Amino acid sequence: MALRPIDNALPVVPDGLRPKKQAKVSIQPQKKASEISVNDENKAPLPQPIDASVDYVASEDLKPFQDPESNIQSLVEGLDSKDWVKVCQSLNDARRFSLYHPGLLLPVLEKVMLVVVKSMKNPRSALCKTSIMAASDIFNAYGEKLLDSTDSSAFDQLLLQLLLKASQDKKFVCEEADKSLTAMVNSIAALPLLQKLRGFVNHGNLRVRAKAAVSISNSVYKMGSEEIKEFGSVTLLQMASDLLNDRLPEAREAARSIVLSVYEAFTENEKLDTVEDWQSFCQSNLSMIQAQLMIKVVSSQ
């Protein structure tokens, strides 16, 4: 029996003409740039427009406060802000205090240093660079007073972060960190600074070792013969011997500079100027391998 056609049947549509279903996309709202706090150091920063309120201000362009006593409390509040832009502005204010009103900043200096350290860890380059610039101004303003007026761990953390930032790949951050390390060497007496730096000679990060070696070399270079003798010529040579075989040329060159500075101090103290006396000194105080390295550096200059 023949089947009757069904009038209300759906028409057959070829596959190529069928409309495709659109996939549903769930769009999550993004935080505003100012809503990302300083504590988000382990989170990748969201794309953001350039914020004109964050400027890199040179030290010579910073101005004193007209009423610094009333501004010191707002500084502390700004440093505690969750708004990273506000923290940048407060760090610039801390720079102004350190340069023009250092006595007012001194009671909260340790807190400022800890905020500087935290900001250096932040993934936002603007906040990181501003904190490094703040470190430079603090070094220039307080010098070795930093070692007396703050907890030693605050300085140790700051030094470590500067060495790490000077070792990274972001050129403008690296260059700023190098400037800050130079300011540190120029403003803090060599003897106490060397005690802080010597532990980084054997650091696991070879770039950190190299940056530490450069700072040690620059510190030793500005020392007089009596200071070198007080710190210990043998101690400096032992530090240098570890760096002479380092993988990075920067570390090896710094080590050679340390050895030559010690040699100059040795000949001045002992009224000697012959390689033979230097050989005798090295062989008497160092291992055979270390002594050979020291003799080779001096003979090849």
Side-chain angles (χ1 to χ4, degrees):
M1 173 174 132
L3 297 177
R4 290 180 299 171
I6 301 176
D7 295 336
N8 61 349
L10 294 175
V12 178
V13 180
D15 290 341
L17 299 179
R18 289 181 182 176
K20 295 182 179 179
K21 292 184 178 181
Q22 298 295 324
K24 294 182 179 181
V25 179
S26 177
I27 300 176
Q28 298 294 331
Q30 291 186 347
K31 290 184 179 180
K32 294 180 180 179
S34 60
E35 293 177 347
I36 298 178
S37 71
V38 180
N39 297 324
D40 296 337
E41 62 179 74
N42 294 322
K43 298 179 181 179
L46 297 173
Q48 61 171 10
I50 296 176
D51 195 315
S53 63
V54 179
D55 298 320
Y56 301 129
V57 186
S59 300
E60 56 269 21
D61 294 329
L62 294 169
K63 305 298 181 184
F65 289 100
Q66 292 184 350
D67 186 9
E69 288 81 4
S70 63
N71 289 106
I72 193 68
Q73 183 57 40
S74 60
L75 170 69
V76 175
E77 294 171 358
L79 291 172
D80 287 332
S81 175
K82 300 295 183 181
D83 183 344
W84 72 272
V85 176
K86 180 64 176 176
V87 175
C88 276
Q89 295 168 349
S90 298
L91 286 171
N92 280 329
D93 286 343
R95 297 171 63 200
R96 295 167 67 188
F97 271 105
S98 67
L99 294 175
Y100 298 106
H101 320 284
L104 289 174
L105 189 64
L106 195 58
V108 294
L109 183 58
E110 185 172 331
K111 176 180 178 59
V112 172
M113 290 176 65
L114 292 175
V115 174
V116 167
V117 170
K118 178 187 285 187
S119 299
M120 285 187 194
K121 298 177 182 179
N122 193 278
R124 290 193 175 277
S125 298
L127 183 56
C128 179
K129 181 172 178 176
T130 301
S131 66
I132 297 173
M133 296 173 76
S136 298
D137 288 330
I138 289 173
F139 286 139
N140 289 326
Y142 295 98
E144 58 194 87
K145 291 180 182 178
L146 289 172
L147 303 177
D148 302 325
S149 57
T150 62
D151 181 60
S152 61
S153 64
F155 184 89
D156 294 342
Q157 291 179 58
L158 179 59
L159 176 56
L160 173 60
Q161 286 305 313
L162 283 175
L163 291 171
L164 288 171
K165 295 306 173 185
S167 305
Q168 72 171 36
D169 295 328
K170 287 184 181 178
K171 185 178 180 181
F172 76 102
V173 172
C174 177
E175 290 176 347
E176 199 63 47
D178 279 334
K179 292 178 185 177
S180 189
L181 289 171
T182 299
M184 176 189 70
V185 170
N186 291 337
S187 60
I188 298 180
L191 285 175
L193 185 57
L194 284 176
Q195 297 293 349
K196 296 288 187 181
L197 287 166
R198 63 187 300 180
F200 292 100
V201 171
N202 298 313
H203 196 276
N205 186 319
L206 73 166
R207 290 187 177 181
V208 169
R209 285 201 307 270
K211 295 298 180 180
V214 172
S215 293
I216 292 171
S217 172
N218 291 336
S219 294
V220 175
Y221 182 77
K222 72 175 190 176
M223 293 169 71
S225 57
E226 290 301 321
E227 286 183 297
I228 289 178
K229 185 176 181 180
E230 181 180 350
F231 183 82
S233 299
V234 175
T235 301
L236 287 171
L237 293 178
Q238 289 172 337
M239 291 167 56
S241 68
D242 292 332
L243 295 167
L244 282 170
N245 292 319
D246 200 271
R247 289 167 56 188
L248 289 183
E250 190 177 15
R252 298 196 297 270
E253 184 59 34
R256 283 191 286 269
S257 176
I258 295 170
V259 174
L260 293 177
S261 294
V262 174
Y263 175 71
E264 290 178 6
F266 170 79
T267 55
E268 180 181 337
N269 277 332
E270 305 298 334
K271 301 293 187 276
L272 302 171
D273 57 0
T274 63
V275 176
E276 287 76 12
D277 295 311
W278 174 250
Q279 291 176 347
S280 177
F281 172 78
C282 292
Q283 290 169 350
S284 300
N285 294 281
L286 303 170
S287 68
M288 182 180 298
I289 295 177
Q290 290 175 330
Q292 290 175 347
L293 287 172
M294 303 304 117
I295 294 169
K296 182 179 179 180
V297 170
V298 170
S299 61
S300 61
Q301 67 169 324

